[in-house]
Amino acid sequence: MHFVLLVGALSFFADFTYEGARSVLGPFLGSVGASATIIGIVAGFGELAGYGLRVVSGTAADATRRFWPIAIVGYIVQMTAVPTLTLVHSWQAAALLIILERIGKAIRNPPRDVMLSYAAQRIGGYGWAFGIHEAFDQMGAMIGPLVVAAVIARGGQYGMAFAMLAIPAAANLCLLAIARFVFPRPQDMGHDHEETNSREGFSSRYWVYLVGAGLVAAGFADYSLIAYHWARTHVLSTNWIPVFYAIAMATSGTASLALGRLFDRFGFRLLIFLTIATMFFAPLVFLGHDPRWALAGAVLWGMGMGVHESIIPAAVAPMVATAKRASAFGTFTAAYGACWFIGSALIGWIYDRSVGEAVLFCVASQAAAIPLFIWVGR
């Protein structure tokens, strides 16, 4: 539990940094000349890089068992990319840094998730461990956007807000050094005998689950596009957009604690219910012209993010052998990111032509995953 809490604190400052920036990336990109299509492509390609490269990171972690060195490189790349946004004045340069930040996350996540899964075997369940971690994660994701909103509300520019995020980025790197020193070998916490033969390939339920998760990702609009829509249609003023993002992150973090415990108890029945509930975020955020509907959509979107970041990866861990777990996380999230990229690009392209059709695509893609989750659950 000490390890889970320490890594949770590490993620608190990481999310403080990059989610603070992401809360205004849509309007920021728009202010430097990007269209909705460009925003969708940049956000989607960032997720593609952020998830796709996890195959490389996960495979390297399994092959070398050097979980900390790989994770440390990823954190350094990610934490330096965000404050550097204060120096750019074109959407092309901003896009490069946005993608670089996602690459840093791609490098560090598979080894970090594997280390968490070892600790999960000692504290009562994968859902509980990932849920606790996600709560810290989203607490940072709530506070970061609020700080950015406060800077902008007091007359600050986007560049000043990005510069302020250098403080939590530095705190993250300091905690990273402490975690590496206190827990040099997290894999020693695991129980290898609980897993299946490491020579076996991934099971059929793993691949079917991956397809279902990919459909959910494809239909889950990035907040950058949502923020762009709210700013363009004047549903929200610019300084309220990061506040709504903070509310979404607070919802995600609060729900993840309870949902993690419930997932350990009810399994895929909970995931099916949550998929049905959260897919209605799209009509609320894109079709409503009242801030109250936008708020309801932000809450559902945040709950969906909690599912993406805690329950969906937690379900992968017991499906594979310990020795192949980093590869499993990497492969799973790579495909997941590819679907997110394709979906984000499509949603942005459809949005430029018809908002209603973009909403229909979001709902239909996520609904298509439900039969697959039912099969995996059975």
Side-chain angles (χ1 to χ4, degrees):
M1 180 59 78
H2 292 163
F3 178 76
V4 172
L5 294 176
L6 183 55
V7 175
L10 183 68
S11 292
F12 168 84
F13 287 107
D15 274 58
F16 189 135
T17 304
Y18 73 81
E19 295 290 13
R22 290 183 76 191
S23 68
V24 292
L25 285 182
F28 170 65
L29 286 170
S31 71
V32 291
S35 66
T37 300
I38 290 173
I39 292 171
I41 291 173
V42 170
F45 188 77
E47 296 303 327
L48 175 63
Y51 284 104
L53 291 177
R54 297 185 198 193
V55 173
V56 179
S57 174
T59 302
D62 275 341
T64 64
R65 314 304 289 173
R66 295 174 63 83
F67 300 118
W68 273 125
I70 295 171
I72 289 169
V73 170
Y75 275 113
I76 291 173
V77 170
Q78 187 181 31
M79 292 299 100
T80 54
V82 172
T84 309
L85 282 168
T86 192
L87 303 176
V88 304
H89 302 286
S90 68
W91 71 259
Q92 294 91 340
L96 181 63
L97 288 171
I98 291 167
I99 294 168
L100 187 62
E101 181 270 319
R102 294 287 88 186
I103 290 173
K105 187 172 183 179
I107 295 170
R108 53 96 161 172
N109 262 34
R112 186 210 64 191
D113 287 346
V114 172
M115 291 188 286
L116 273 177
S117 74
Y118 285 123
Q121 297 176 23
R122 293 288 184 94
I123 68 169
Y126 296 106
W128 182 227
F130 279 85
I132 291 172
H133 174 263
E134 179 65 8
F136 275 94
D137 220 44
Q138 301 304 343
M139 191 184 305
M142 174 188 69
I143 295 175
L146 289 177
V147 170
V148 169
V151 171
I152 293 175
R154 292 176 65 87
Q157 302 298 316
Y158 291 118
M160 183 181 296
F162 295 142
M164 288 287 292
L165 295 174
I167 297 172
N172 168 272
L173 296 178
C174 290
L175 274 178
L176 182 64
I178 294 171
R180 172 64 178 85
F181 177 78
V182 176
F183 293 96
R185 286 183 55 82
Q187 57 266 44
D188 291 343
M189 293 183 287
H191 300 299
D192 288 354
H193 67 273
E194 292 182 358
E195 305 297 334
T196 58
N197 188 335
S198 63
R199 295 181 181 178
E200 296 176 358
F202 302 146
S203 65
S204 58
R205 63 175 176 163
Y206 170 87
W207 293 112
V208 173
Y209 178 53
L210 188 154
V211 173
L215 287 169
V216 172
F220 202 76
D222 193 88
Y223 192 82
S224 297
L225 183 60
I226 296 172
Y228 173 84
H229 170 76
W230 285 338
R232 187 181 72 87
T233 57
H234 306 291
V235 173
L236 297 176
S237 60
T238 302
N239 60 304
W240 275 101
I241 290 173
V243 174
F244 272 47
Y245 188 71
I247 292 171
M249 293 298 98
T251 302
S252 176
T254 303
S256 64
L257 282 174
L259 296 178
R261 270 296 197 202
L262 291 172
F263 180 75
D264 287 332
R265 181 175 180 182
F266 296 108
F268 272 80
R269 286 176 290 172
L270 178 67
L271 183 57
I272 293 164
F273 169 76
L274 291 171
T275 302
I276 295 171
T278 58
M279 69 184 182
F280 291 105
F281 83 88
L284 290 172
V285 299
F286 286 120
L287 299 182
H289 298 287
D290 189 310
R292 290 171 293 183
W293 289 111
L295 178 60
V299 169
L300 280 181
W301 186 90
M303 186 177 295
M305 281 299 297
V307 173
H308 286 233
E309 297 291 338
S310 59
I311 292 179
I312 285 180
V316 173
M319 293 184 183
V320 295
T322 300
K324 302 184 71 173
R325 193 170 287 165
S327 299
F329 278 123
T331 302
F332 182 88
T333 52
Y336 190 83
C339 292
W340 195 310
F341 167 65
I342 294 169
S344 292
L346 277 174
I347 293 168
W349 180 77
I350 296 170
Y351 175 93
D352 276 336
R353 287 149 182 80
S354 170
V355 176
E357 290 178 9
V359 170
L360 180 62
F361 175 83
C362 291
V363 174
S365 180
Q366 294 179 82
I370 294 171
L372 301 179
F373 288 161
I374 293 174
W375 183 89
V376 174
R378 287 177 178 173

